[in-house]
Amino acid sequence: MKTIFYLIAIVLTSCDPPIYSHIYRNNADHHLYYYRASSSEFDFIYPDTTIRHQEVDPNYIRGIRPRTSVNIGGFGTVEEYFQEFLPKDTLSVYFFHPDTLKKYPWETIRKDYNILKRYDLSIQDMQMLDYEVVYPPTEAMKDIKMYPPYE
């Protein structure tokens, strides 16, 4: 048994660690839900920012507690992720209030576009933000394409 453990440890430590990484930070006083639209997950990607799905797989909608953050990562670089999954070099990130998701059926959310905010982030935006996507938007994000616009 020890031998198997040591072999697994050797294999895991010899692999390159994930280098694609970015952070989603919730600076609001309430829980927050978000999802990222990419060609691997959804049939709508930038420049199409409509929400066309009848249902969104709950595995893709992620929550962030108030005043906390989550780190998203994978293998490869952020540039490779953008190239492989984002044909228009833009990542759209949608934020939802938990009350909206509880109160309304997905069809109503979709039809009425009941989102808190949508960011349309280029690789340059991600680099400028040091790979940290923050809700609500900060002053540093004022020139990033978002809906509703930065105020």
Side-chain angles (χ1 to χ4, degrees):
M1 188 65 160
K2 277 186 177 182
T3 304
I4 292 172
F5 175 75
Y6 288 123
L7 287 173
I8 292 172
I10 289 168
V11 169
L12 290 177
T13 57
S14 66
C15 296
D16 290 334
I19 53 176
Y20 157 61
S21 176
H22 63 277
I23 296 168
Y24 289 91
R25 181 172 305 284
N26 178 5
N27 284 342
D29 291 326
H30 57 79
H31 205 89
L32 184 67
Y33 286 91
Y34 74 94
Y35 71 78
R36 305 171 298 155
S38 71
S39 62
S40 69
E41 299 164 357
F42 302 101
D43 66 353
F44 59 95
I45 50 176
Y46 189 85
D48 182 0
T49 57
T50 58
I51 302 173
R52 295 190 310 211
H53 274 273
Q54 297 300 323
E55 291 293 329
V56 171
D57 187 331
N59 293 321
Y60 295 120
I61 298 177
R62 304 227 163 77
I64 312 172
R65 291 186 313 273
R67 306 283 176 198
T68 63
S69 62
V70 295
N71 191 345
I72 305 297
F75 292 98
T77 64
V78 174
E79 290 78 9
E80 289 170 339
Y81 175 82
F82 269 65
Q83 185 176 23
E84 184 174 348
F85 297 110
L86 304 167
K88 298 295 183 187
D89 187 31
T90 302
L91 172 64
S92 293
V93 180
Y94 299 76
F95 291 94
F96 301 92
H97 195 285
D99 292 346
T100 300
L101 295 176
K102 288 178 191 170
K103 184 175 181 180
Y104 300 104
W106 183 251
E107 179 59 29
T108 301
I109 294 169
R110 193 176 71 78
K111 181 177 61 79
D112 295 342
Y113 213 69
N114 290 340
I115 62 172
L116 288 172
K117 188 69 76 178
R118 183 194 76 236
Y119 300 142
D120 298 321
L121 301 158
S122 69
I123 188 67
Q124 293 81 15
D125 293 332
M126 293 292 282
Q127 291 165 344
M128 186 268 303
L129 295 171
D130 200 23
Y131 306 100
E132 184 173 41
V133 180
V134 180
Y135 180 87
T138 64
E139 178 74 19
M141 301 173 73
K142 69 180 179 182
D143 295 325
I144 290 175
K145 189 181 239 184
M146 63 180 75
Y147 178 84
Y150 180 81
E151 294 179 3

